[in-house]
Amino acid sequence: MKPDLFEAPDYYNLDDLFTDEHKLVRDAAREWVKRDVSPIIEEYAQRAEFPKQIINGLAEIGAFGPYIPEEYGGAGLDQISYGLIMQEIERGDSGVRSTASVQSSLVMYPIWKYGTEEQRQKYLPKLASGEWMGSFGLTEPDHGSNPGGMTTNFKDMGDHYLLNGAKLWISNSPFCDVAVVWAKNEEGRIHGLIVERGMEGFSTPETHNKWSLRASATGELIFQDVKVPKENLLPNKSGLGAPLGCLDSARYGIAWGAIGAAMDCYDTALRYSKERIQFGKPIAAFQLQQKKLAEMITEITKAQLLAFRLGQLKNENRASSAQISMAKRNNVEMAIKIAREARQMLGGMGITGEYSIMRHMMNLESVITYEGTHDIHLLITGLDITGLNAFK
Ligand code: TGC
Ligand code: FAD
């Protein structure tokens, strides 16, 4: 792969709106991605393997629990810093950002928000340092967009719970130490349970043959009469709103992350088009190529402003789920369109692993599907503005 010469676009001087802390956190993440992710990521993606050696680095830049309080090992940062970390990591690879999203927003967040003090003390510091890795089991083979239909269930056996069922498409599952699993009790009410590797009847087979998110490990969570200690139930929130609350936080991070992938594609295409000579001129001199570049930077700038404003609202606890859906949907679509255009600008070179664009493009096919598909987020906006539910 070519050396990482990335220069971040900031067309509307967004840097003026960031605090010194935001810039410090972002620049540290940016440097780390250049040093520790860019040189190896293409090779790991080609091999379809998650690079476990970057776990310590992710912890050091604060990517595991950026907004979790420091007393639990988190970085204690605000929501904009969290977003900027996700942007920088996804600039490197969406699969690496996935690992950080799951660990922070889908594993640490529910333990912090819905767990007991004992659960927080036991799990959060180890998850923040990367000593333990987590996964989040909501999706099932027959229940993806409709998680409320889940059939994974647990029974109260007096001194423990008995968990049965299966989850599919689970990021980090093949190597996770703990899984936050959503299952129904005997009354059909959804609860979160912390399941630990090593519990009898719990297995995590890997899903192979992915053309997307190849540097992220994806798999299943299978529960066959797993005895879960009663103290592993998350007691402070139940119902579908509990996992959906975690998704709000992860979807917000993706809204920023997608900007990173788009920035990388734009920056690569801009540099390439100024160097590539055809018909005696750099291809950047042709109007058609300038149109592509001008539209890319316009869309990136709009996405940056959307994410920044959403970050302000999140900091004030005023961001609605529907506002988060709009940003996730818009920014991922923006990124995937830019990846497709940028790939064309590199001609044949665009399909090779010498450049990051094709990898981003394929990764974004997962990003536009997970954490709520593109259609589901549109319907969330539709419901919000009309008051009419078009899901069912
Ligand atoms: P509905 O009846 O609308 O709602 C049920 C309850 O949930 C509440 N609620 C929310 N709460 C918090 N945050 C949200 N975003 C919420 N949305 C809804 C709602 O108020 C209600 O509460 P209550 O107290 O009245 O019971 O539920 P529904 O069954 O009609 O479904 C709505 C729908 C379709 C929007 C929802 O199911 C949905 O978002 N589906 C998409 C599923 C999804 O996003 N799955 C993601 C799995 S995790 C993942 O992909 C990780 S990828 C990780 C990575 O690698 O980065
Ligand atoms: P389906 O729900 O079957 O949807 C198929 C199509 O039908 C989509 O186009 C959808 O938009 C459309 N559709 C569905 N319902 C409606 C409707 N009411 N109206 C109109 N159109 C509709 N899940 C986890 O729990 N944890 C994870 O860590 C995780 N990681 C993932 C990693 C990867 C790489 C991938 C690909 C997925 C991951 N997921 C994870 C699962 C992901 O959240 C689901 O794939 C997603 O929610 C969609 O579910 P589905 O794939 O079953 O598609």
Side-chain angles (χ1 to χ4, degrees):
M1 197 177 154
K2 297 267 182 209
D4 185 351
L5 302 173
F6 177 68
E7 285 174 45
D10 183 14
Y11 204 73
Y12 262 40
N13 302 342
L14 213 63
D15 259 23
D16 295 351
L17 303 178
F18 293 137
T19 63
D20 288 345
E21 181 173 75
H22 293 150
K23 287 186 265 195
L24 210 68
V25 165
R26 180 199 59 194
D27 293 349
R30 187 168 292 168
E31 282 313 304
W32 176 76
V33 168
K34 270 200 178 183
R35 195 187 63 226
D36 287 1
V37 179
S38 298
I40 59 147
I41 197 64
E42 178 64 29
E43 191 191 325
Y44 276 83
Q46 295 277 3
R47 290 211 306 259
E49 186 182 331
F50 172 69
K52 284 195 186 149
Q53 70 272 28
I54 66 172
I55 287 176
N56 285 344
L58 280 165
E60 276 162 23
I61 61 163
F64 295 156
Y67 53 83
I68 301 287
E70 287 171 288
E71 61 178 304
Y72 299 118
L77 297 167
D78 77 346
Q79 291 291 321
I80 291 176
S81 289
Y82 162 43
L84 286 167
I85 293 174
M86 296 299 121
Q87 171 188 287
E88 295 306 318
I89 299 176
E90 193 147 359
R91 207 279 297 171
D93 189 81
S94 303
V96 179
R97 197 268 308 133
S98 260
T99 295
S101 290
V102 170
Q103 184 88 341
S104 299
S105 290
L106 301 182
V107 179
M108 296 177 73
Y109 177 88
I111 294 173
W112 174 46
K113 281 285 174 187
Y114 314 147
T116 62
E117 189 52 33
E118 290 71 32
Q119 290 168 340
R120 290 184 196 122
Q121 299 286 353
K122 177 175 175 188
Y123 295 103
L124 294 180
K126 287 198 165 75
L127 290 162
S129 69
E131 185 182 340
W132 282 354
M133 294 301 292
S135 69
F136 175 88
L138 181 64
T139 305
E140 298 186 350
D142 294 329
H143 301 97
S145 298
N146 176 28
M150 70 175 66
T151 58
T152 298
N153 63 87
F154 64 99
K155 288 193 172 73
D156 189 336
M157 305 304 282
D159 61 342
H160 64 270
Y161 298 118
L162 203 62
L163 178 66
N164 277 289
K167 301 286 177 180
L168 185 65
W169 292 119
I170 307 304
S171 302
N172 299 356
S173 107
F175 59 81
C176 70
D177 302 285
V178 296
V180 169
V181 177
W182 301 94
K184 284 181 178 164
N185 68 9
E186 285 143 291
E187 287 77 50
R189 182 89 183 151
I190 295 172
H191 287 268
L193 295 161
I194 307 171
V195 179
E196 297 185 19
R197 185 171 293 282
M199 287 180 178
E200 212 181 318
F202 174 42
S203 58
T204 60
E206 184 158 1
T207 301
H208 296 288
N209 292 331
K210 291 182 300 167
W211 283 107
S212 173
L213 233 60
R214 288 172 62 82
S216 161
T218 314
E220 299 170 53
L221 301 174
I222 297 174
F223 316 102
Q224 287 174 320
D225 286 336
V226 180
K227 285 184 182 172
V228 181
K230 286 208 151 166
E231 64 264 22
N232 284 30
L233 182 106
L234 298 173
N236 296 330
K237 192 162 167 104
S238 63
L240 188 57
L244 291 178
C246 308
L247 294 183
D248 274 356
S249 180
R251 290 166 176 174
Y252 165 75
I254 292 174
W256 282 91
I259 297 171
M263 280 177 165
D264 199 45
C265 293
Y266 164 78
D267 181 61
T268 303
L270 178 62
R271 186 170 302 107
Y272 185 89
S273 65
K274 290 199 272 190
E275 289 166 2
R276 175 71 177 163
I277 310 291
Q278 287 295 289
F279 299 97
K281 286 199 247 179
I283 58 169
F286 296 115
Q287 284 185 3
L288 282 176
Q289 305 310 316
Q290 288 194 4
K291 176 173 186 290
K292 290 188 207 293
L293 291 166
E295 285 175 354
M296 285 182 206
I297 191 62
T298 306
E299 290 309 314
I300 289 172
T301 304
K302 284 152 66 179
Q304 286 172 317
L305 295 170
L306 188 63
F308 182 79
R309 176 62 186 145
L310 187 63
Q312 288 179 322
L313 292 172
K314 283 275 285 170
N315 277 342
E316 296 163 12
N317 279 322
R318 291 200 295 134
S320 70
S321 299
Q323 286 171 327
I324 293 169
S325 279
M326 180 184 281
K328 191 266 184 184
R329 183 173 187 277
N330 181 80
N331 289 9
V332 177
E333 184 180 40
M334 170 282 298
I336 212 166
K337 284 184 173 165
I338 286 178
R340 287 171 186 154
E341 290 290 304
R343 207 234 30 91
Q344 290 189 53
M345 287 188 68
L346 268 70
M349 288 310 291
I351 71 154
T352 72
E354 288 294 296
Y355 295 89
S356 54
I357 297 177
M358 187 87 176
R359 179 166 42 80
H360 283 305
M361 192 174 107
M362 307 222 298
N363 284 341
L364 289 162
E365 291 292 342
S366 287
V367 182
I368 205 164
T369 294
Y370 67 32
E371 301 273 4
T373 67
H374 202 55
D375 297 330
I376 289 295
H377 289 297
L378 178 126
L379 294 177
I380 291 172
T381 305
L383 170 60
D384 194 48
I385 58 177
T386 65
L388 301 169
N389 186 335
F391 292 108
K392 35 196 174 186

